Amino acid sequence: MKVRFKIWRQDSPIDKGSFKVYEVDGLNPDMSFLEALDHLNEKLVLRNEKVIAFDHDCREGICGQCGVFINGRAHGPHENTTTCQLHMRSFEEGKVIVVEPWRAKAFPVIKDLIVDRSAFDRIIEHGGYISAKTGTASEANAIPVGKDIAERVMDVAACIGCGACVATCKNSSAALFTSAKINHLNSLPQGKPEEHQRVLDMTAQMAKEDFGHCTFTGACEVECPEGISINNIAEMNARFLKAKLFR
Ligand code: FES
């Protein structure tokens, strides 16, 4: 299989960056998209050229590291699929595949396709955890959680923090990510003691970062590889108002 990659190259955060085109042949349609980039990088090494920097870890849709725009869509052409779960058979032989990093002020490009997503980490640092004492592991696991709540929580806990929601939003809003994390922990009995402080602190940190405001366009929900619902943002807003009133 042969394709033409048009890939964003940028040496450093202060470099202007530009697209560069690479003809790549010898690809197997069953290769993953990241394996195709590995294949290209091997060729670049042999030509003594700089390899393309891209993020990845698990390569099985769990860690959220690998997100890029592919032909203008976050994580490529398929719904509920991360970049590492994408295969070359999803593309037509001989076509141009445009690959670029997330575009958002809060996610500055570090190098080529790698962006700095530490703004997400700082939101998590402001309440994306439970510090209430729950006893030993076995005691914590013995706290009953209703089936409905458990299922709802599992839906939002699926967020892998890839950043597709921010990158695809015209306002670069982090509302879907933040709401998934808040609704996950605030729905659980273990998260209740800190629920009001959590929503106030995490939304305050979100506002401090370079994210924009949510205007409910719904693009985040469409491009989220885990199918996190935009309803979570409305739920977060309700939790925020409740926390303010409680105070
Ligand atoms: S490399 Fe982990 S989600 Fe893609």
Side-chain angles (χ1 to χ4, degrees):
M1 182 181 183
K2 184 175 177 180
V3 295
R4 188 180 292 180
F5 278 117
K6 188 175 174 187
I7 298 179
W8 184 259
R9 303 301 314 260
Q10 183 173 336
D11 269 344
S12 71
I14 52 166
D15 183 31
K16 199 160 165 247
S18 63
F19 281 105
K20 200 160 175 197
V21 176
Y22 302 92
E23 302 269 359
V24 188
D25 58 9
L27 295 170
N28 185 317
D30 292 328
M31 271 180 168
S32 73
F33 187 82
L34 296 188
E35 283 170 338
L37 290 183
D38 290 337
H39 181 79
L40 169 57
N41 273 344
E42 282 166 16
K43 297 211 178 287
L44 293 178
V45 169
L46 292 175
R47 299 205 302 249
N48 216 13
E49 291 180 35
K50 280 185 197 165
V51 296
I52 296 150
F54 60 95
D55 236 342
H56 59 95
D57 188 359
C58 69
R59 295 200 177 202
E60 51 187 12
I62 296 170
C63 72
Q65 297 287 306
C66 59
V68 288
F69 277 115
I70 302 167
N71 290 340
R73 285 199 64 181
H75 292 294
H78 300 311
E79 287 181 9
N80 302 328
T81 305
T82 57
T83 301
C84 60
Q85 294 171 309
L86 188 63
H87 290 86
M88 292 309 291
R89 57 180 176 266
S90 302
F91 302 95
E92 276 182 59
E93 174 91 32
K95 289 279 172 153
V96 176
I97 303 172
V98 181
V99 191
E100 48 187 323
W102 289 159
R103 304 289 190 188
K105 195 176 172 195
F107 292 162
V109 174
I110 297 172
K111 187 173 170 62
D112 296 337
L113 303 175
I114 298 178
V115 298
D116 177 358
R117 287 176 297 131
S118 58
F120 271 7
D121 298 335
R122 289 189 289 277
I123 292 174
I124 293 295
E125 283 167 13
H126 284 78
Y129 50 80
I130 289 172
S131 59
K133 289 193 175 22
T134 54
T136 63
S138 57
E139 286 165 336
N141 289 336
I143 296 171
V145 178
K147 185 169 180 292
D148 288 354
I149 294 175
E151 284 180 355
R152 243 200 61 61
V153 165
M154 289 303 283
D155 285 347
V156 277
C159 170
I160 55 174
C162 65
C165 50
V166 172
T168 207
C169 173
K170 67 172 183 165
N171 308 317
S172 299
S173 164
L176 192 68
F177 166 80
T178 310
S179 67
K181 301 304 173 191
I182 288 171
N183 295 339
H184 168 194
L185 298 177
N186 280 14
S187 299
L188 289 167
Q190 294 91 333
K192 287 289 174 202
E194 299 155 309
E195 66 173 325
H196 299 311
Q197 202 57 50
R198 175 176 298 111
V199 68
L200 294 175
D201 289 351
M202 290 182 79
T203 51
Q205 186 59 33
M206 176 177 74
K208 269 190 207 162
E209 303 288 346
D210 280 328
F211 299 112
H213 290 289
C214 171
T215 51
F216 283 97
T217 64
C220 54
E221 179 182 81
V222 173
E223 298 292 23
C224 172
E226 301 301 325
I228 307 289
S229 166
I230 195 173
N231 291 342
N232 281 289
I233 300 174
E235 186 177 330
M236 173 181 73
N237 291 345
R239 288 184 188 280
F240 177 81
L241 286 175
K242 194 174 157 196
K244 281 279 188 193
L245 288 171
F246 183 80
R247 261 205 170 167

